[in-house]
Amino acid sequence: MSDQKFALLGRPRRIWAVGAIHGDAGRLAALHEDIGARFQAGDRLVYLGNMVGRGALVRETLDELLYFRRHVMAKPSVLASDIVYLRGGQEEMWQKLLQLQFAPNPLDVLHWMIGQGVEATLAVYGGTAAYGIAAARDGAVSLARWTNDLRAAMRNAPGHGALFSALRRAAYTSDAQGQPTEMLFVNAGLDTAKPLHMQADIFWWGGNSFPRIDQPYGSVRRIVRGYDPAHGQGGAHLTDFTASLDGGAGFGGRLVCGCFAPDGALLEMVEA
């Protein structure tokens, strides 16, 4: 499997996994203050997707993610590969929006994205839903001009383009040959009947079947997700084989981070 799609975590000391943020920059900063003081060399930090969208402070959230990355990497022996960002449904929509002129029905797609909360990310780069709808009605040339302007604005925001380019589909603890071992981290869902390379968009749109996982996934003892389609109603949830870390951030709830041992044991839960 290509490490361009999946992040190989090796066998770390601990894994800090951050649930869906949805633009809640204040809770993210508070969470960072807590775990930042305790993050050590040998740890990994995995953001489980849906970092953007929905909330009013998407730009501030992205800037906080980048600031904290610099802070953590300033610690002795911490590597860039120790920090992983997963693609969630919101990040997937943003990437697809930047290619909207190639969609066979761009106006319908844009209306659906707006209903799913992409407008909060759109506003970061000077875009509006009304302008996008007008461009979609005007045709592919107008749409291409609009999406090119959005892409340029993203690249002009320091670090934003690099962060979106660094997104991975999933992350897992791995052996010396790069094969999955005890822990797998995803955005929303997983089809346990399929191997990882065949999951495709199940990672971000297959969340409804996640609660029904009742057995190990090959060598993986625990699957951890960061986004719950129910937006964390009832808070974070742990079973024998899974962990769901959506506390409802961006929907009036809390931001959740689980700290795990490499064998899948939950060491602690941190909330902000």
Side-chain angles (χ1 to χ4, degrees):
M1 284 172 286
S2 170
D3 61 1
Q4 294 301 308
K5 294 182 178 180
F6 303 100
L8 279 59
L9 303 176
R11 188 168 182 84
R13 181 175 176 271
R14 299 176 296 186
I15 308 112
W16 302 83
V18 180
I21 303 165
H22 286 130
D24 197 333
R27 293 190 186 277
L28 179 61
L31 186 70
H32 280 166
E33 184 174 357
D34 187 332
I35 66 177
R38 295 184 285 149
F39 190 93
Q40 299 179 25
D43 288 357
R44 307 287 188 271
L45 174 59
V46 182
Y47 297 94
L48 298 170
N50 283 45
M51 298 168 282
V52 300
R54 298 290 184 184
L57 300 175
V58 171
R59 177 182 290 275
E60 292 82 354
T61 296
L62 291 167
D63 289 342
E64 173 65 24
L65 290 167
L66 293 165
Y67 161 78
F68 192 66
R69 182 177 186 273
R70 294 191 297 269
H71 171 74
V72 169
M73 287 183 60
K75 294 176 178 286
S77 302
V78 174
L79 307 175
S81 58
D82 293 340
I83 306 170
V84 175
Y85 307 93
L86 297 191
R87 179 187 301 272
Q90 291 293 332
E91 292 79 25
E92 174 70 3
M93 281 192 294
W94 176 245
Q95 296 292 342
K96 288 292 190 287
L97 187 147
L98 294 178
Q99 305 171 50
L100 193 60
Q101 64 269 26
F102 302 115
N105 52 346
L107 186 57
D108 291 343
V109 172
L110 182 56
H111 276 300
W112 179 82
M113 289 179 173
I114 292 167
Q116 296 297 314
V118 78
E119 195 169 3
T121 308
L122 183 60
V124 173
Y125 305 109
T128 66
Y131 196 101
I133 290 169
R137 288 174 174 160
D138 200 33
V141 174
S142 292
L143 260 182
R145 186 179 302 115
W146 183 61
T147 59
N148 285 339
D149 287 346
L150 293 172
R151 189 177 292 104
M154 180 182 69
R155 290 173 177 167
N156 286 334
H160 288 205
L163 194 156
F164 280 109
S165 296
L167 298 176
R168 298 291 179 258
R169 295 186 179 187
Y172 52 82
T173 55
S174 53
D175 61 20
Q177 288 72 46
Q179 296 302 307
T181 54
E182 289 93 344
M183 294 207 70
L184 171 64
F185 299 86
V186 301
N187 170 241
L190 186 83
D191 184 344
T192 56
K194 295 181 179 180
L196 281 178
H197 69 276
M198 293 182 63
Q199 297 290 325
D201 59 359
I202 294 170
F203 284 132
W204 35 89
W205 303 126
N208 288 327
S209 63
F210 191 84
R212 296 194 292 272
I213 296 175
D214 60 359
Q215 58 185 343
Y217 177 59
S219 62
V220 173
R221 299 183 184 181
R222 191 182 300 283
I223 307 165
V224 181
R225 73 167 177 180
Y227 173 68
D228 177 358
H231 312 310
Q233 292 182 13
H237 185 65
L238 189 74
T239 74
D240 290 341
F241 305 103
T242 68
S244 188
L245 302 182
D246 191 342
F251 293 87
R254 299 181 67 78
L255 180 59
V256 176
C257 173
C259 182
F260 296 89
D263 64 359
L266 178 66
L267 301 176
E268 66 173 301
M269 196 81 78
V270 183
E271 295 188 3

